[in-house]
Amino acid sequence: MHLFYTPDIAPAHPQYFLNEEESKHAVRVLRLEVGSEVQLIDGKGGLYTAQIKDAHPKRTILQITNVITSYNKRDHYLHIAIAPTKNLDRLEWFLEKATEIGIDEISLIICQRSERKEAKTERLNKIITAAIKQSLKAFHPVLNEAVTFNKFLAQPFDGQKFIAHCEDSEKTSLSAEIEKQGKYLILIGPEGDFSPAEIDAALQSGYKAITLGDSRLRTETAALEACFEVNFLNR
């Protein structure tokens, strides 16, 4: 069944009008007709089943036939703050895979050793949207605009906080620290890793230093490994 992302849908309303872009895709590309069934996700947990009442290429009318709220809602919350990679394709890859696996929030942090100092979130959000449609996720992860590392540290977070780094110092594993069904924030640094000053600042702000294994991982690989581990440990 074909799936559409409809963040402006009203759960209590019996009908929904696809916008012009989605209507054109449904009618001209997918060749859907009156009576065809489709699914809609609102990014806030709603999964809708609908039937096409008017297959108009500019304003297709859908009749909502079933609504599931909080579809596949997870019992934990994962927020990963990652330094944008020099090659933006690698960050896009992470966003796609993390969304498919399960993540709630992503923040972009500009660190002392960051080779990329900015990243436009409009395109990155499109990557996330495509991934939730592909993997049938009803919740759309939040993507925050890039901020400096120090500014991010000053933001409050009500949960467990971790920093993954490669410095030769005392670290623990996520499996030894994770409290199940909790909220987690994990910092992942740039290609050159966090600076010693940044690591110290994070520790002073209540973050715990963690290791993600013996291998030296790329930024996007480390972030995805953290995503894997958190979801596995909450099974």
Side-chain angles (χ1 to χ4, degrees):
M1 193 181 300
H2 296 289
L3 181 68
F4 296 88
Y5 177 51
T6 54
D8 60 339
I9 192 170
H13 202 283
Q15 286 191 337
Y16 180 78
F17 298 86
L18 286 179
N19 62 33
E20 185 172 347
E21 181 181 356
E22 292 283 39
S23 293
K24 183 178 179 181
H25 182 69
V27 177
R28 300 297 191 206
V29 179
L30 300 177
R31 304 289 185 183
L32 299 179
E33 302 174 341
V34 172
S36 297
E37 278 200 332
V38 297
Q39 288 183 313
L40 316 171
I41 48 175
D42 60 11
K44 299 180 284 290
L47 174 65
Y48 304 74
T49 302
Q51 190 176 67
I52 294 180
K53 304 302 289 183
D54 182 5
H56 194 285
K58 290 190 176 181
R59 200 164 188 256
T60 294
I61 302 175
L62 304 176
Q63 183 72 34
I64 307 300
T65 59
N66 189 54
V67 181
I68 301 175
T69 58
S70 298
Y71 178 74
N72 279 352
K73 182 176 176 59
R74 301 181 310 143
D75 60 3
H76 59 282
Y77 189 94
L78 174 59
H79 181 179
I80 289 184
I82 180 174
T85 50
K86 180 180 180 181
N87 183 341
L88 203 57
D89 288 347
R90 296 189 180 278
L91 178 61
E92 293 175 358
W93 176 86
F94 162 69
L95 292 174
E96 178 184 74
K97 302 311 175 188
T99 299
E100 292 176 6
I101 294 167
I103 192 169
D104 301 283
E105 187 172 357
I106 305 104
S107 290
L108 304 178
I109 50 174
I110 307 304
C111 303
Q112 182 179 334
R113 296 172 177 168
S114 291
E115 295 188 62
R116 175 177 287 276
K117 300 298 185 181
E118 62 177 5
K120 297 186 183 299
T121 56
E122 182 179 357
R123 172 173 168 77
L124 298 178
N125 262 312
K126 290 181 180 179
I127 300 292
I128 294 174
T129 300
I132 66 169
K133 292 169 68 176
Q134 190 279 328
S135 56
L136 192 55
K137 293 284 193 299
F139 290 91
H140 194 294
V142 175
L143 176 64
N144 298 314
E145 297 285 346
V147 297
T148 63
F149 179 81
N150 288 334
K151 186 174 182 179
F152 183 81
L153 283 189
Q155 298 177 5
F157 181 78
D158 181 23
Q160 292 184 281
K161 301 188 295 185
F162 305 100
I163 179 171
H165 65 80
C166 300
E167 290 288 312
D168 187 16
S169 59
E170 184 177 350
K171 288 176 279 191
T172 186
S173 65
L174 279 172
S175 61
E177 296 291 341
I178 285 286
E179 298 172 3
K180 295 187 71 170
Q181 300 179 10
K183 295 179 67 177
Y184 322 106
L185 170 55
I186 302 174
L187 304 180
I188 304 293
E191 284 89 342
D193 200 10
F194 292 112
S195 69
E198 288 170 334
I199 295 171
D200 184 62
L203 298 179
Q204 293 297 321
S205 297
Y207 287 80
K208 291 186 178 180
I210 57 167
T211 175
L212 296 173
D214 297 329
S215 299
R216 184 179 289 271
L217 304 176
R218 291 180 181 273
T219 294
E220 72 280 5
T221 309
L224 193 63
E225 172 63 21
C227 188
F228 267 125
E229 285 197 39
V230 167
N231 282 285
F232 177 78
L233 292 169
N234 276 279
R235 291 176 61 182

